[in-house]
Amino acid sequence: MTVSNSFKNDLLAVIPNLRAFALSLTRASDRADDLVQETLMKAWNKHELFQEGTNLKAWVFTIMRNEFYSQMRKKGREVQDSEGVLASQMAVHPEQQGHMDMHDFRAALEQLPEDQREALVLVGANGFSYEEAAEIAGVAVGTMKSRVSRARTRLAEDLSLEDDGEYGPDAISAHIVGAVQSATMR
């Protein structure tokens, strides 16, 4: 059976999201790349099981999640990055306020329980609906909503946020960036 062009194109389009999800699971770029490759190979080899018209992104994310937990069971334990060595190797833009905000955010995200972190990454970072995320994680929709809510509340507490304006660029920086972006769009 041949693979449809639609399947090929949709699979290629989801790769950046897969890599981001893999990084959140493995916390190491080399392991994330391996996980993405293994996921893509499994999806490709099982393409006939995918039902056209359904959500390919959710299907592939489910494959990745299952593959990740299968690998963890095989290894018997997960490698910890308690010293922050792997996190410190991530590329960031130096000398920007956002760098420190992102550092604080990553540290707070790392402190979340695994189920809450996974829920937040699926819904917040990858744009899945609660229903899709619940299907990927194999839990009820209410459970997914609860995990996301608890994760957001805990992040706000850990980052000492009282309103949306306290995190990210300050008002002056945001204004300058907005002005530059609108000038370049003309």
Side-chain angles (χ1 to χ4, degrees):
M1 182 175 198
T2 61
V3 179
S4 72
N5 283 336
S6 171
F7 182 85
K8 291 176 191 176
N9 292 336
D10 291 347
L11 194 58
L12 286 172
V14 78
I15 290 174
N17 299 102
L18 284 173
R19 187 155 196 296
F21 187 45
L23 276 169
S24 76
L25 292 172
T26 64
R27 298 182 194 104
S29 62
D30 60 331
R31 289 180 54 215
D33 290 340
D34 291 344
L35 182 58
V36 169
Q37 182 177 357
E38 188 64 32
T39 301
L40 291 171
M41 291 298 297
K42 286 187 178 211
W44 187 266
N45 290 332
K46 300 293 183 180
H47 72 274
E48 70 277 356
L49 298 177
F50 176 70
Q51 298 175 1
E52 288 291 329
T54 60
N55 189 336
L56 177 77
K57 189 175 175 184
W59 183 69
V60 177
F61 267 64
T62 302
I63 292 171
M64 176 176 281
R65 183 178 184 273
N66 291 342
E67 175 62 22
F68 173 73
Y69 285 116
S70 292
Q71 290 176 6
M72 288 292 94
R73 281 191 296 276
K74 287 177 186 174
K75 288 183 179 183
R77 61 182 173 90
E78 184 175 353
V79 175
Q80 297 293 320
D81 187 23
S82 58
E83 300 296 323
V85 174
L86 297 174
S88 68
Q89 294 173 353
M90 299 179 84
V92 295
H93 298 285
E95 304 297 321
Q96 294 183 359
Q97 178 64 32
H99 170 73
M100 293 308 297
D101 286 344
M102 185 55 79
H103 177 65
D104 293 345
F105 175 77
R106 283 186 184 135
L109 186 65
E110 189 69 27
Q111 297 303 314
L112 291 176
E114 187 173 332
D115 61 337
Q116 290 178 19
R117 184 175 52 249
E118 177 185 55
L120 196 59
V121 167
L122 287 171
V123 174
N126 286 295
F128 284 111
S129 68
Y130 287 114
E131 292 78 12
E132 292 168 330
E135 185 179 330
I136 291 168
V139 298
V141 175
T143 301
M144 182 58 62
K145 288 180 178 181
S146 176
R147 287 177 181 176
V148 170
S149 176
R150 287 193 315 263
R152 287 177 176 158
T153 300
R154 181 152 173 208
L155 280 177
E157 290 171 359
D158 289 352
L159 295 170
S160 303
L161 299 178
E162 293 182 20
D163 65 48
D164 293 340
E166 291 186 41
Y167 201 71
D170 58 78
I172 296 170
S173 299
H175 178 72
I176 292 169
V177 169
V180 169
Q181 287 176 341
S182 65
T184 58
M185 297 177 110
R186 291 181 187 156

